[in-house]
């Protein structure tokens, strides 16, 4: 009987190790760090922000030496970039390409974990005059990596805009702009030969806003879509529940149209602006939080896309800081998740997301919808009545005798109801507004035994799977002989090596 219990323990351990190993090698979510910031923090401060948010992958839009030095010994995987204004140099001269690699890559590895080079950004659509030097630039840089014996560690590609695919839906009929077929064929062959990835900039925000009502907002934000308005590819019967997957599959099908397959897609740029002008109502905090939270959850579950199920789609969120130096509408300047002083525009975690403190919650941990203390009592009362009534919030905790009841504090009571509604409905379109009497905050309003949804101290699921309680009795039941215990430890070490 004891041996049977030990065998069960071993089996459970191996299963856990297998799952952990798969998660470790699965898709990741990184972040872009742009250069159009007027008051960029020092490099050491940026790295501290990355570490505080558990960011494991960053894409730099240049190869800033101070940043590369600050990233040394952190383990963070780094994508450096050849900016568009340097593309002509490396694409016209082997020696310039070799010099670029020696100064910006070889000089920093292995201390700084540089794993990829992005050559330009959206070159064929943003800088078409440089198209003829793109392939030579890739080849010259690859030759330089080979000479430095870095070709296995560092891979080269070029981020491509969705604008290069004129008709991305239905994905099965998507093709690259035929003007660039010759260059794209050479590019894809380069990726095949070097084992590199296809870098795609996929922005559902623009797909939604430029669609002028063709697609519902829920479809762009990874929210539940009405079954009657589902987007089905008529040629494959694949059902697309979100625009992100459709964009990624459009890239896969576009490659297939050129008779190329087997090249994985990495999304190098995606996100949602949190602030826009008066004519950009969809650029707001609620939508930005919803998109990026749902994106992270979607990517880290390794579910792939309808056309490529189970194939991971690693992704870089655009972006860490607002780029106030960008030219264009207000939304162009406000994609960042962090202000230069380190405070957040909204709370975002780059780890596998936990839900709040019950199975009915869909809101992210660390974000709270609370009542605005400057709102009138009558407005708060109206919002409270709606949340607990038509809004179907669970208001039992704010009833007399319950832990969150405060007869003389309408702000606290309304905050609990607002927050409960927000966490129950955020994934399906619920917002934090209540006629402008509510606001989002990262400050946990929980107190005493009154725990708000989204609190890290909330009871219930945190994303881990509990295999059962471990008390004195059942702990004794899984005791093994010392030799068997050592066997388990040995197996664990073998799996972790």
């Amino acid at each position: 009987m004891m041996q049977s219990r030990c065998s069960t323990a071993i089996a459970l351990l191996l299963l856990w190790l297998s799952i952990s190993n798969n998660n470790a090698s699965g898709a990741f979510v990184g972040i872009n760090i742009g250069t159009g910031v007027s008051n960029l923090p020092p490099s050491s401060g940026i790295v501290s922000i990355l570490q505080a948010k558990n960011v494991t992958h960053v894409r730099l839009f240049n190869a800033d030496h101070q940043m590369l030095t600050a990233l040394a010994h952190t383990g963070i995987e780094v994508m450096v970039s050849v900016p568009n204004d340097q593309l002509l140099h490396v694409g016209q001269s082997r020696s310039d390409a070799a010099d670029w690699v020696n100064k910006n890559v070889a000089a920093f590895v292995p201390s700084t974990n540089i794993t990829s080079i992005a050559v330009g950004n959206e070159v064929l659509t943003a800088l078409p005059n440089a198209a003829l030097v793109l392939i030579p630039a890739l080849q010259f840089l690859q030759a330089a990596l080979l000479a430095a014996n870095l070709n296995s560690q560092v891979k080269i590609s070029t981020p491509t805009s969705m604008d290069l695919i004129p008709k991305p839906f239905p994905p099965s009929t998507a093709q690259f702009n035929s003007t660039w077929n010759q260059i794209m064929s050479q590019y894809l062959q380069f990726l095949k030969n070097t084992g590199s990835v296809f870098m795609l900039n996929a922005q559902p925000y623009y797909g939604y806003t430029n669609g002028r009502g063709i697609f519902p907002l829920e479809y762009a934000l990874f929210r539940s879509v009405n079954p009657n308005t589902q987007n089905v590819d008529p040629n494959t019967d694949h059902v697309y529940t979100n625009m992100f997957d459709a964009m990624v599959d459009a890239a896969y099908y576009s490659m297939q149209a050129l008779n190329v397959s087997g090249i994985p897609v990495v999304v190098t740029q995606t996100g949602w602006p949190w602030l826009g002008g008066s004519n950009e109502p969809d650029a707001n905090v609620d939508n930005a939080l919803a998109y990026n939270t749902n994106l992270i959850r979607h990517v880290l579950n390794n579910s792939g896309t309808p056309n490529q199920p189970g194939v991971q789609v690693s992704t870089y969120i655009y972006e860490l800081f607002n780029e106030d130096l960008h030219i264009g509408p207000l939304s162009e300047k406000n994609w960042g998740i962090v202000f230069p002083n380190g405070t957040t525009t909204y709370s975002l975690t780059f780890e596998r997301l936990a839900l709040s403190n019950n199975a009915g919650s869909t809101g992210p941990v660390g974000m709270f919808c609370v009542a605005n203390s400057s709102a009138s009592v009558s407005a708060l009362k109206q919002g409270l009545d709606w949340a607990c009534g038509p809004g179907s919030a669970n208001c039992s905790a704010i009833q007399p005798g319950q832990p969150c009841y405060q007869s003389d504090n309408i702000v606290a009571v309304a905050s609990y109801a607002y927050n409960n509604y927000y966490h129950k409905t955020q994934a399906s379109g619920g917002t934090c507004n209540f006629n402008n009497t509510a606001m989002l905050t990262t400050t946990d309003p929980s107190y005493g035994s009154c725990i708000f949804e989204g609190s890290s101290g909330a009871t219930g699921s945190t994303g881990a799977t509990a295999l059962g309680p471990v008390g004195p009795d059942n702990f004794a039941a899984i005791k093994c002989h010392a030799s068997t215990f050592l066997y388990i430890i040995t197996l664990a070490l073998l799996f972790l090596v």
Side-chain angles (χ1 to χ4, degrees):
M1 183 69 174
M2 184 68 69
Q3 186 63 39
S4 174
R5 287 170 178 157
C6 290
S7 299
T8 300
I10 293 172
L12 288 173
L13 177 63
L14 292 178
L15 175 61
W16 176 79
L17 287 169
S18 174
I19 292 171
S20 298
N21 189 54
N22 287 338
N23 286 343
S25 61
F28 63 80
V29 177
I31 197 157
N32 289 262
I33 302 178
T35 59
V37 185
S38 60
N39 56 340
L40 198 66
S43 299
S44 58
I46 295 175
V47 171
S48 295
I49 292 172
L50 296 173
Q51 292 175 319
K53 289 191 166 295
N54 297 305
V55 174
T56 59
H57 295 73
V58 297
R59 175 194 176 195
L60 306 180
F61 278 78
N62 53 22
D64 182 80
H65 288 190
Q66 290 185 342
M67 271 301 302
L68 292 176
T69 300
L71 286 164
H73 308 295
T74 62
I76 296 173
E77 292 194 22
V78 183
M79 178 189 297
V80 294
S81 299
V82 178
N84 284 352
D85 60 7
Q86 296 179 22
L87 187 59
L88 286 176
H89 295 291
V90 299
Q92 292 179 327
S93 169
R94 287 182 181 272
S95 60
D96 283 354
D99 187 57
W100 195 96
V101 167
N102 290 331
K103 289 182 177 178
N104 300 304
V105 180
F108 293 95
V109 296
S111 298
T112 302
N113 191 16
I114 299 173
T115 56
S116 55
I117 301 173
V119 182
N121 186 51
E122 302 184 352
V123 174
L124 297 183
T125 50
L127 197 66
N129 291 337
L132 293 180
V133 300
L134 177 60
I135 302 304
L138 295 170
Q139 294 170 337
F140 293 167
L141 290 167
Q142 179 66 19
L145 288 177
L146 186 62
N149 198 29
L150 292 172
N151 56 300
S152 295
Q153 175 183 338
V154 183
K155 298 300 180 180
I156 302 176
S157 187
T158 182
T160 302
S161 170
M162 279 299 299
D163 290 341
L164 199 65
I165 306 174
K167 296 180 180 179
F169 199 88
S172 62
T173 62
Q175 298 183 38
F176 296 120
N177 184 330
S178 59
T179 302
W180 305 112
N181 275 359
Q182 183 178 357
I183 290 178
M184 289 304 295
S185 294
Q186 293 176 311
Y187 167 52
L188 296 177
Q189 192 58 55
F190 172 85
L191 299 182
K192 289 284 284 187
N193 293 342
T194 59
S196 299
V197 300
F198 184 90
M199 294 180 175
L200 177 70
N201 290 349
Q203 298 284 23
Y205 172 74
Y206 293 123
Y208 167 71
T209 55
N210 294 338
R212 301 183 184 279
I214 295 176
F215 301 106
L217 179 62
E218 291 75 17
Y219 178 64
L221 296 177
F222 295 92
R223 286 172 169 162
S224 300
V225 178
N226 187 321
N228 296 324
T229 60
Q230 284 184 336
N231 290 284
V232 180
D233 189 317
N235 303 305
T236 62
D237 289 333
H238 288 150
V239 176
Y240 286 89
T241 59
N242 64 81
M243 191 180 293
F244 178 86
D245 282 352
M247 288 180 165
V248 172
D249 273 355
Y252 276 118
Y253 280 112
S254 295
M255 286 189 275
Q256 291 176 25
L258 293 178
N259 299 313
V260 178
S261 61
I263 299 175
V265 171
V266 169
V267 175
T268 40
Q269 194 168 311
T270 191
W272 199 279
W274 64 272
L275 180 65
S278 58
N279 61 337
E280 301 174 299
D282 297 301
N284 59 60
V285 170
D286 278 330
N287 288 346
L289 174 65
Y291 180 82
N292 285 325
T293 298
N294 293 334
L295 168 76
I296 293 171
R297 185 179 293 126
H298 180 71
V299 169
L300 295 186
N301 71 13
N302 292 314
S303 61
T305 64
N307 180 46
Q308 301 285 328
V311 178
Q312 63 191 47
V313 184
S314 293
T315 300
Y316 293 82
I317 287 177
Y318 185 79
E319 59 187 329
L320 187 62
F321 300 112
N322 296 322
E323 295 191 77
D324 59 304
L325 298 180
H326 270 191
I327 298 173
L330 187 61
S331 62
E332 285 288 323
K333 309 170 188 286
N334 291 287
W335 293 69
I337 65 168
V338 179
F339 292 109
N341 65 5
T343 60
T344 57
T345 53
Y346 52 88
S347 180
L348 203 62
T349 176
F350 284 74
E351 299 175 300
R352 197 170 299 275
L353 291 176
L355 296 180
S356 293
N357 60 341
N358 66 58
S361 174
T362 59
V365 172
M367 179 61 70
F368 307 91
C369 176
V370 298
N372 190 332
S373 59
S374 64
S376 68
V377 171
S378 60
L380 290 174
K381 180 65 167 59
Q382 185 178 15
L384 174 65
D385 290 343
W386 187 91
C388 296
S392 299
N394 182 353
C395 296
S396 57
I398 54 177
Q399 301 305 310
Q402 298 304 308
C404 300
Y405 175 72
Q406 294 190 49
S407 61
D408 58 348
N409 192 339
I410 184 66
V411 173
V413 173
S415 292
Y416 185 89
Y418 287 2
N419 188 66
N420 185 274
Y421 166 83
Y422 177 73
H423 274 264
K424 286 178 61 177
T425 64
Q426 183 266 339
S428 59
T431 62
C432 179
N433 186 278
F434 296 93
N435 287 330
N436 298 317
T437 65
M439 60 184 181
L440 289 168
T441 180
T442 58
T443 302
D444 190 345
S446 303
Y447 58 92
S449 58
C450 178
I451 307 300
F452 278 55
E453 302 273 4
S455 172
S456 59
T459 59
S461 171
T462 61
T465 301
L467 296 179
V470 181
D473 293 337
N474 55 8
F475 180 76
I478 62 170
K479 282 183 178 178
C480 299
H481 294 296
S483 60
T484 308
F485 178 74
L486 289 173
Y487 176 58
I488 294 174
I489 297 300
T490 301
L491 286 174
L493 291 174
L494 287 173
F495 267 83
L496 291 173
V497 170

